[in-house]
Every structure is written in structure tokens, then in C-alpha cells.
Amino acid sequence: MTGLFIGPAPCSELFSLMVPSNPTWQDRPIPDLILPPVPSGGLERHMYQPLCDAVNNAEVCPGFKLMCVANTRDKEGCKLRPDLALVAEDVVDVNDFSVMDLWGEVKPRRDGDAFHKSYNSEDIDLDSVEKIEGKSADCRGQLISYAAAAMSRQHRVFMFSFAICGKYIRFSLWDRAGCIVTESIDYLKHPELVAEFFWRYSHMNAKERGFDVTVQRATLEQADQLTDAMETYIELSRPRNMEFLRANSDPTYSTYQLCMDDEEGKPQYFIIRQPFWDADSANGRATRAYAAYNITQNKLVFLKDCWRTEGKDIMCEADIYKHLLDCDVPFLPEVILAGDVRVDGDEQRTFCDEWSKPDSFPEWRLPCKPLRTYVHCRIVQELAYPIASVQSSREAVQAFRDVVESIQVAYEVRDMFHRDISTGNVMISKKGRGVLNDWDHGIRLIPDREPHASRTGTWQFISVALLQKPDKFHEVRDDLESCFWVLLYVSLHYFKHNGRDVGFTLGFFDEIQERKVAGEAQYQSFGGDSKASLLNGEQLDAVQWECRPLNDLIHSLAELWSTAYMLNMLWTRFQQCWIYLIPR
């Protein structure tokens, strides 16, 4: 999240966002709060309970209680644990992030602060609010990991937190665009600001506290319905390997009911549990993929929940599918519902990006880059089989041929690129044909717009050219080359070959180098050299598959891509040198 923090904001700016809709919240004055001094021994564990007792006994947060959770165990397997958590007063055990309304981290010394104190004349030359001295980077990484864990285990639009370093406290607001951090205040001198934060928070409703109110806890009966549907689907799908769904049928995980309106505005209800794919990130698209039980249709479906990037000429995935289907692009997923998430007619979207604009709050904000805007959206589709469930090399090759046809037709009729061909997006239909899923990175070339130069995709399957040159424009050949790398990956993992006997390794998929680029302050990631060597050398030639047609296909494709890069290199050299061949 480097570069995604905004601040240090005055507490009053953050409080302006915490205005409860309940008109009676100021009927009585905020109770006085007396916070304990930092223990002389300097051990942070000695700070936990006195802080909790002070907040709880003062009744500045009615309906909630502040608890020490540093030594609790997460029933859902997450090893991360913040020091403090605010939970509803009827919660008995805080054993996972899913029940935390907000969380807090405690450090005994101020040198653990992750951010600069405040904006003043002495800070005028600072590059950002992020502090890099001493332990600050480690502390900031810790805060980010807690935010990621909490937001991946809850259904949130945004979330609050606080961090204490010695006798200083600051508050934060996290959403998928970034994080707003307040100035650091001395809570012994200004306990009224801490009291006001908790007082305001306790009087806000669930939506105002950042919860996605289209998602509610499921009943025990609904949880059982999902479990039964999962088990039935796994059994009916045999001999395909669908065991990855087994974790989703574990009833010990939190189960939710999710509401999504259809095209006529009628609510459709789905039961979901642990996602089988989770980005586990505090910011960005935060894609989560579920096998969901459709209560209305009484069947299991695929549901993707994510935050799409909003911007000029960026199509949402729902519109992409509509355009592709209108043009008869083949081998697409069967979409049941698709659209942005709305509550009372309003889209769920980020707002930290609004505070990052150049003309926003210049009197207190340290320099920061403009943040992206994200909008919450969902896609519901018929379930398809993952490529890992492939039953034969013939079926695998057929699936990849279908995906290549989908890519070519989408490009020819709509000038559309997929830009994320991966093992997670190449799937198999119930008829045994290929399905090219997950078009949310798709982009269309528009005549009056410059192609967008940025590297997008799953690292292991990105083309050699894009890995070696991050600012290269994405072309259809990059999607097609990604198909080769996915086919090679699947063939190496699921079909018999002699790779182990000849010492063949898979490190070329993950090769990554971090280096600085001239004129850039930050490091960039590069790769592709090992892939290029694989295409040009004898390493792959030594690998032989038992299935002769598959073996011949892989080696022929590798030779084809090697020739393509050689011709491209010769063409580039010719473009650079041809003028020198002309006599003066």
C-alpha cells in the first residue's frame, strides 16, 4: 500500500464523516474519559487492559465494549492478531476478525509510529505522510496486514481503526482506494477527542460504520442448505476433482446471506461461506469468488464479489459480457446476474480517492498521489469446472483451443483484450468445452484513445514481452502467448512426463527481479528472461510427455513463439538500422 495513505488529517475532518443519522445522538453530553498513563515498565501488554477498562467504564461507547484480543485464537485459521478490538457488548469470545467492529494496535513508544505527526512548517519538505525512519515501516506493514485480514473476513465498504504509540493516538479509515490517517494527538491532554471518536461510532448504524448492509449473517437452516448443496455438487461432479469446495462446506466458518437485485429490481438471495479465492488485500479490486447457494433457484452457482476500477473508457465486467454476447463471441460463461451493488439507489464506492485529489484539503495533507476510484460490483454465473479438474489431455487441448477462439473473435469483432489469461480463468463447461472467464481486466481499443500502457495479469502467465517491458502496450498476441504458458503449466502438473528425470524445474513461472528504472524513485518488477531462455534453449526439448499428440503440440507451440520473438527482434533491428543502408 505504499503511496496509498492520505494525511495527517485533523481529527475534526475524520469526525465529519462520522455523523450518525440518529438525531438523538447529541441529546446528552459525551461522558468524560480519563485514560491511563503509559506504564513505567514500557511493556505494551501492560497497556491493554487499563485502556479497555477506561473506555468501557466511562461508557463512551454504549452498545460496545473494547477488549484485549492479543492472545486469542482465530477459529478460522488466521494467525494475525491485533492488540485491541471493539465488539458488540453481547459478543462473548472474540476468536476471529469477523466479529470485530474495529481494531486497535498498541506500541509502548512513539518511535513505533508509522506516520508523520502532523503538517506544519517543519514538515513542508516531506514526500508523504508515511514515515520511513526506525520501526515505522514494520509498524505500517503490521497495520496493513490487520486491515487486510479484517476486510477480507468481513463484508465492508470501509473500516475504522486506531493506533497508539506511547501516549499518542491516531485514527484511520480504510477503504479499497487507500487509507486516511489523522494527526497524532496526546490522549492524556486530549481525552475528549478519543471519547468523541467512540461516542460518534457507537451512535452510527451499520451502514455508517462501514458495513455492507446487503450482507447479513445466515441462519442455521440456511447454513445447512449451503452445506448440503456443496456436498451434493461434489458428489455429482465425480470423477472430476472438486475437493477445493470442501473447505467451503465446512460449517465452522461464518455463513452469510447476500442480497442482489435482478434486472427487474427483485431481490435474489444467496448463501455464501468462505471464498475459494480471496485477494486478502486491504486495497484494490479485492476479488472474492464463492460457490453460492441460490435460494430462489434452489441450486449452486458461482458468485464473484469485487471492486472494479472506475475511469474514463473503462468498461465494467457486466457491460463487457453484454457487448461480447451481442457479437456472438463464443465460449463465455453463462451470466445469471451482473451489476454494481446499490443501497437505497446509491452505488457502493470508495471515497478516500476524493481526499487524494490535488485540490482537496491542501491545508493539512502531505503530498500524495491521486488514488483510483473503485465501485463495488458482483457477477453471478453458472458454475463451471476449474481447469485443474481436467480428465484427459484431449479435453485440455480442446478447452484451450476454445479459449483461443474466444480471444480471437473478441479482438476481431470488438477490439477487446482479456489481459488476464490464467489457470483460474480458463475453465471447462459441463459439456467439456472451454470457458474463458473473468473479463474484469478486459479493455477495448477505441480509435480516438491511446492504448493503455500498463502490465495487467497473473504473473506466472504474462507474456515474455510484457514481463521484460512493463510499459509495453498490451496486444492480442500477449493474450495468445499467455494461453501457451497456461497450457504448459497444466500439462506439467496433470499429465505424465519425464521432467523430473531430466532435472526440469518450474522456477521460470515465478522468476521476478526488482530493479530501479531511470528517472523513477521506486523499484519495478521485471521477469521473462527464464521464459525466453526456455523457448530458445534445449531445456524444454528434453521434456517428453507420454501422450504423443500433446508432446508434439507443446514443442511445436514453443518453437512457434521462439520464432515469433526472433522475427520481432529482427524487425526491431531493421527499423533501427535501415536508414544507414541508404547512400547519402
Side-chain angles (χ1 to χ4, degrees):
M1 281 189 64
T2 300
L4 301 186
F5 291 92
I6 306 165
C11 288
S12 59
E13 293 285 355
L14 186 68
F15 292 167
S16 68
L17 299 175
M18 303 174 67
V19 180
S21 58
N22 180 4
T24 65
W25 75 283
Q26 284 183 321
D27 282 355
R28 63 187 181 94
I30 302 173
D32 292 333
L33 174 63
I34 301 176
L35 291 166
V38 180
S40 57
L43 296 178
E44 68 176 67
R45 68 174 182 269
H46 293 161
M47 300 173 65
Y48 301 156
Q49 199 57 49
L51 287 167
C52 293
D53 291 342
V55 171
N56 295 334
N57 293 337
E59 298 183 352
V60 294
C61 202
F64 297 88
K65 58 186 176 184
L66 190 63
M67 296 182 63
C68 170
V69 295
N71 298 317
T72 59
R73 297 186 63 182
D74 190 330
K75 70 175 183 180
E76 296 187 356
C78 179
K79 296 181 180 179
L80 294 172
R81 190 70 70 251
D83 296 324
L84 306 177
L86 187 74
V87 299
E89 61 184 358
D90 59 350
V91 172
V92 178
D93 295 320
V94 185
N95 52 14
D96 63 73
F97 274 99
S98 69
V99 298
M100 299 180 190
D101 248 71
L102 60 81
W103 51 270
E105 182 64 11
V106 177
K107 302 294 181 186
R109 295 168 54 87
R110 193 175 184 184
D111 59 4
D113 197 348
F115 306 100
H116 291 293
K117 178 183 176 182
S118 59
Y119 185 88
N120 56 48
S121 59
E122 296 177 0
D123 299 331
I124 199 73
D125 295 326
L126 294 174
D127 293 330
S128 74
V129 71
E130 299 170 48
K131 193 176 179 182
I132 59 175
E133 299 86 0
K135 304 175 182 177
S136 298
D138 290 340
C139 179
R140 188 163 52 253
Q142 196 174 9
L143 300 180
I144 293 170
S145 66
Y146 294 152
M151 295 182 74
S152 69
R153 286 161 180 79
Q154 297 187 28
H155 295 270
R156 288 278 193 161
V157 179
F158 58 88
M159 188 175 199
F160 293 96
S161 71
F162 64 89
I164 293 175
C165 295
K167 63 175 182 176
Y168 295 90
I169 188 172
R170 70 168 81 239
F171 308 104
S172 301
L173 186 150
W174 308 77
D175 71 11
R176 298 303 181 181
C179 177
I180 300 168
V181 296
T182 69
E183 61 190 347
S184 176
I185 60 171
D186 185 332
Y187 63 76
L188 296 179
K189 291 183 178 179
H190 299 286
E192 74 281 358
L193 294 178
V194 181
E196 184 174 356
F197 173 82
F198 284 109
W199 184 257
R200 285 177 179 264
Y201 189 89
S202 67
H203 285 83
M204 294 192 293
N205 60 37
K207 178 183 176 182
E208 293 164 340
R209 299 199 307 273
F211 286 93
D212 177 1
V213 294
T214 67
V215 181
Q216 307 290 336
R217 290 275 183 171
T219 64
L220 292 177
E221 180 182 358
Q222 290 173 332
D224 289 340
Q225 286 179 308
L226 176 61
T227 300
D228 293 342
M230 291 277 193
E231 294 294 342
T232 300
Y233 188 86
I234 291 172
E235 291 301 319
L236 292 177
S237 299
R238 296 189 188 282
R240 293 190 185 275
N241 179 14
M242 302 298 290
E243 289 300 316
F244 72 94
L245 290 178
R246 191 71 68 179
N248 300 88
S249 64
D250 184 350
T252 62
Y253 283 91
S254 301
T255 308
Y256 298 91
Q257 175 189 269
L258 180 151
C259 179
M260 185 175 177
D261 291 342
D262 61 19
E263 293 182 354
E264 298 178 354
K266 297 179 180 179
Q268 302 289 313
Y269 295 97
F270 303 87
I271 307 303
I272 58 174
R273 195 172 283 143
Q274 183 190 21
F276 57 78
W277 168 256
D278 187 348
D280 198 18
S281 173
N283 69 291
R285 292 176 179 267
T287 301
R288 288 188 273 195
Y290 299 92
Y293 177 67
N294 186 331
I295 296 177
T296 305
Q297 298 183 349
N298 189 28
K299 68 176 183 178
L300 210 62
V301 295
F302 171 80
L303 189 149
K304 182 173 75 171
D305 181 283
C306 66
W307 290 76
R308 64 177 180 85
T309 306
E310 184 180 66
K312 183 180 179 181
D313 299 329
I314 297 179
M315 297 175 65
C316 68
E317 190 173 8
D319 288 342
I320 290 175
Y321 282 128
K322 184 177 185 301
H323 284 288
L324 294 178
L325 289 170
D326 287 345
C327 295
D328 296 322
V329 175
F331 306 112
L332 299 174
E334 297 181 47
V335 178
I336 301 172
L337 290 176
D340 296 335
V341 181
R342 297 177 180 272
V343 176
D344 298 328
D346 297 325
E347 296 172 333
Q348 289 183 346
R349 56 173 55 235
T350 56
F351 53 81
C352 283
D353 49 286
E354 291 291 329
W355 289 39
S356 71
K357 293 179 179 178
D359 58 348
S360 301
F361 313 102
E363 70 278 5
W364 56 260
R365 190 193 64 201
L366 287 172
C368 67
K369 65 180 181 182
L371 304 182
R372 292 180 176 179
T373 301
Y374 292 90
V375 178
H376 196 189
C377 62
R378 294 189 179 118
I379 302 283
V380 179
Q381 302 169 353
E382 295 288 348
L383 271 173
Y385 299 121
I387 193 64
S389 70
V390 65
Q391 293 184 287
S392 68
S393 59
R394 181 183 181 88
E395 185 179 62
V397 171
Q398 179 65 61
F400 280 94
R401 189 192 185 285
D402 294 340
V403 166
V404 167
E405 183 178 346
S406 184
I407 292 170
Q408 289 182 321
V409 175
Y411 176 69
E412 291 169 359
V413 303
R414 298 300 296 179
D415 292 327
M416 181 75 73
F417 303 141
H418 186 279
R419 301 200 305 162
D420 189 19
I421 308 297
S422 70
T423 52
N425 299 333
V426 175
M427 308 192 77
I428 302 172
S429 71
K430 292 182 179 179
K431 297 180 180 180
R433 302 300 296 266
V435 175
L436 183 53
N437 197 16
D438 201 8
W439 281 80
D440 65 343
H441 286 287
I443 190 170
R444 184 185 178 198
L445 289 182
I446 299 175
D448 60 351
R449 186 191 70 187
E450 287 291 325
H452 183 59
S454 69
R455 184 166 56 197
T456 300
T458 302
W459 184 269
Q460 288 81 0
F461 311 111
I462 296 175
S463 70
V464 170
L466 283 171
L467 290 174
Q468 293 179 333
K469 191 176 181 182
D471 59 349
K472 186 187 94 70
F473 295 134
H474 196 103
E475 302 173 82
V476 69
R477 61 172 288 170
D478 296 305
D479 279 349
L480 296 174
E481 185 185 335
S482 291
C483 287
F484 167 73
W485 294 115
V486 175
L487 176 60
L488 179 60
Y489 183 94
V490 170
S491 300
L492 288 168
H493 280 79
Y494 302 114
F495 305 118
K496 292 182 179 180
H497 56 83
N498 68 339
R500 181 174 296 178
D501 297 335
V502 298
F504 187 78
T505 61
L506 305 180
F508 61 92
F509 282 114
D510 299 309
E511 177 206 15
I512 187 169
Q513 305 153 15
E514 300 286 343
R515 61 177 184 265
K516 281 189 175 181
V517 179
E520 297 288 338
Q522 298 181 359
Y523 283 84
Q524 279 191 315
S525 299
F526 293 84
D529 292 349
S530 295
K531 282 183 177 178
S533 298
L534 188 77
L535 294 175
N536 299 327
E538 298 179 355
Q539 185 183 11
L540 185 60
D541 293 340
V543 181
Q544 299 292 313
W545 279 263
E546 284 190 4
C547 176
R548 182 55 51 187
L550 176 65
N551 184 76
D552 294 344
L553 174 64
I554 291 174
H555 289 295
S556 297
L557 290 174
E559 183 178 357
L560 179 66
W561 282 108
S562 175
T563 303
Y565 274 106
M566 186 179 299
L567 292 174
N568 187 66
M569 181 183 66
L570 292 174
W571 173 245
T572 301
R573 184 69 58 85
F574 173 76
Q575 288 177 307
Q576 294 170 342
C577 301
W578 72 273
I579 193 170
Y580 297 106
L581 301 176
I582 302 175
R584 289 182 179 272

